[in-house]
Amino acid sequence: MKRVVVGLSGGVDSSVAAYILKQQGFDVVGLFMQNWHDTEGTLSGDCPWHDDLTFAELVAKRLDIPFRYIDLSEQYRSRVVDYMFSEYEKGRTPNPDVLCNREIKFDAFLDEALKLGADYVATGHYCRRTEENGIYGLWAGSDLNKDQSYFLCQLNQKQLSKALFPIGDMLKPDVRRVAEEMKLATAKRKDSQGICFVGKVDLPVFLQQKLAARRGNIVEIAASWRGYETMRERRASGDLDDLSAPFEYVPEDGVVVGQHNGAQFYTIGQRHGLGVGGKALPLFVIGIDVVRNIVYVGQGNEHPGLMRSALRIKPEEMHWVRPDKVIEVGCEQRYLARIRYRQPLQSATLKVTDQGGYLVFDSPQRSITAGQFAAWYSPDGEVIGSGVIDR
């Protein structure tokens, strides 16, 4: 009998995943991992780990499966949270959920599961895994409203070979229904939100654990700024570096409209938390200068400073979930791509050069953000590869 260690998180998805595996005849073990202890910056009542542990234990008892607990907080801090601080300090916006899956759930957690004699590890992710001729594929979940394949876009073949996603073919309402029918304690529990294993946070307060607050100016750039026309002319040539280059501003390009407590606490496309009113249209962050400590903003979600048709990924950051489909230097391939979770897939061409991978979109994209992940898919929903957006 194959043994599967399920990451019981205290939520309904992992609970039903454990139930399905037991019904399928696996030897199922529930393992709860605690990855965060600190409460600095977390919003009261959001994702307290002790409540999660209690719900996980109740589910294991109801399903009559062994239950274990492990503390991975040291690995989580060094491999996820410290990386977050480092990226924000540089004015980039990391995605801790993607990192958590790559570094913790399917690495540190997998190692612990193997010590328990596991043949596989399973989670409650809404995605699917296939295997053909020794090659493992990662696919979007059947419930496109809950598809979480983007969060797993950094997994490799070794990790996928040990992974099971039992609810990948299910719709969320059906998962809830199964949980209610089985009288699982998590049946009506709300889905967790916020940073993986940390919960919802006041981001500036959370980041100020290591990043000092610094008063600086908020500078508004008009949509008619002359630099936009200059860049449009350069981009018309089709040069990949010009297409993927973010706009660069200096204070003299705009007017001071407010102040902030640290440029590193903001992200491209951010609307809330600026504290500046009285404008005809909402203000959005269009640029961050952590050296000068300036946040640049523009009015309206169609402001030209938000829009770009291409992005670049450094060569060392190109990751292929399907290594048999690597694009060689000098070649290109059509894909569907996304640059954030739940973004509808966008038509794009991936072009690979000595300088890295360039995703060139058919339509301009809003708020391309350095530090986030771009993932590219086949037309039928398989994750082919991903990478950290350099610019």
Side-chain angles (χ1 to χ4, degrees):
M1 183 184 297
K2 297 287 187 179
R3 170 167 285 193
V4 182
V5 171
V6 181
L8 283 182
S9 65
V12 65
D13 297 327
S14 62
S15 303
V16 172
Y19 165 73
I20 290 173
L21 290 167
K22 186 173 182 182
Q23 291 297 106
Q24 291 175 346
F26 288 100
D27 174 19
V28 180
V29 176
L31 181 59
F32 178 89
M33 52 181 154
Q34 181 182 355
N35 288 355
W36 196 246
H37 295 271
D38 299 343
T39 58
E40 183 71 23
T42 58
L43 302 178
S44 178
D46 284 313
C47 200
W49 73 267
H50 45 83
D51 286 352
D52 294 339
L53 175 60
T54 298
F55 275 96
E57 287 181 305
L58 289 171
V59 168
K61 184 176 181 180
R62 173 64 180 166
L63 296 178
D64 191 26
I65 61 175
F67 182 76
R68 303 287 187 271
Y69 161 91
I70 187 155
D71 188 334
L72 296 176
S73 55
E74 182 178 340
Q75 295 94 319
Y76 185 78
R77 177 180 288 279
S78 64
R79 297 166 68 173
V80 178
V81 176
D82 285 351
Y83 177 86
M84 281 180 57
F85 285 129
S86 175
E87 287 288 272
Y88 273 108
E89 188 174 26
K90 299 171 186 173
R92 294 159 59 89
T93 305
N95 191 310
D97 293 303
V98 175
L99 286 171
C100 181
N101 285 312
R102 185 186 75 190
E103 301 291 332
I104 305 300
K105 291 180 183 176
F106 293 95
D107 194 292
F109 179 83
L110 174 59
D111 289 343
E112 296 300 324
L114 294 176
K115 292 177 185 177
L116 295 174
D119 295 288
Y120 302 101
V121 295
T123 64
H125 283 103
Y126 287 86
C127 60
R128 295 170 291 155
R129 186 203 75 155
T130 58
E131 188 273 329
E132 185 176 357
N133 298 323
I135 299 293
Y136 295 89
L138 174 66
W139 299 73
S142 295
D143 190 336
L144 296 182
N145 289 321
K146 297 295 294 183
D147 170 39
Q148 293 173 308
S149 58
Y150 173 79
F151 289 139
L152 300 168
C153 68
Q154 284 278 292
L155 297 192
N156 58 38
Q157 287 290 298
K158 180 180 178 181
Q159 291 169 317
L160 282 172
S161 73
K162 296 293 185 181
L164 295 178
F165 306 112
I167 65 170
D169 288 314
M170 298 179 68
L171 304 181
K172 183 72 175 195
D174 294 329
V175 170
R176 291 280 185 192
R177 178 181 53 77
V178 170
E180 290 177 2
E181 290 176 354
M182 293 307 301
K183 296 182 171 56
L184 300 181
T186 54
K188 296 184 178 181
R189 200 172 186 219
K190 292 182 179 180
D191 293 340
S192 61
Q193 296 181 341
I195 299 174
C196 182
F197 290 110
V198 177
K200 296 182 76 173
V201 300
D202 182 327
L203 190 59
V205 173
F206 182 78
L207 293 175
Q208 283 174 36
Q209 294 178 69
K210 288 194 174 183
L211 307 182
R214 290 193 299 147
R215 200 75 170 158
N217 289 332
I218 298 175
V219 176
E220 181 181 350
I221 304 294
S224 58
W225 175 58
R226 63 186 182 278
Y228 292 133
E229 183 60 36
T230 300
M231 184 57 81
R232 274 193 288 266
E233 292 174 359
R234 290 177 56 187
R235 289 175 174 174
S237 69
D239 180 82
L240 293 176
D241 283 317
D242 285 338
L243 284 171
S244 63
F247 295 109
E248 295 183 359
Y249 309 100
V250 295
E252 294 74 25
D253 292 330
V255 295
V256 176
V257 294
Q259 289 195 309
H260 61 78
N261 288 318
Q264 69 270 27
F265 302 141
Y266 293 83
T267 187
I268 302 299
Q270 181 175 334
R271 173 181 174 182
H272 300 290
L274 291 166
V276 179
K279 299 294 179 179
L281 296 171
L283 289 176
F284 291 82
V285 175
I286 61 174
I288 299 166
D289 185 337
V290 294
V291 176
R292 293 189 177 98
N293 196 32
I294 298 172
V295 174
Y296 294 99
V297 298
Q299 289 190 44
N301 62 5
E302 296 297 329
H303 190 281
L306 288 172
M307 312 303 289
R308 196 159 18 122
S309 295
L311 60 86
R312 185 182 74 184
I313 300 168
K314 290 182 177 179
E316 64 271 21
E317 295 287 358
M318 294 285 289
H319 171 74
W320 295 91
V321 179
R322 286 291 301 267
D324 57 317
K325 295 190 177 183
V326 169
I327 299 176
E328 300 298 335
V329 171
C331 299
E332 60 183 60
Q333 179 65 47
R334 293 283 292 171
Y335 288 114
L336 297 175
R338 59 167 49 107
I339 57 175
R340 64 182 64 88
Y341 175 52
R342 303 202 76 169
Q343 179 196 27
L345 288 169
Q346 307 290 308
S347 297
T349 301
L350 179 60
K351 303 183 179 185
V352 179
T353 76
D354 290 331
Q355 303 303 310
Y358 293 83
L359 266 176
V360 182
F361 295 91
D362 292 3
S363 301
Q365 299 298 298
R366 183 181 294 109
S367 306
I368 292 176
T369 306
Q372 291 282 291
F373 288 88
W376 47 94
Y377 293 67
S378 66
D380 50 357
E382 182 180 8
V383 184
I384 305 299
S386 65
V388 181
I389 299 172
D390 176 49
R391 66 180 197 187

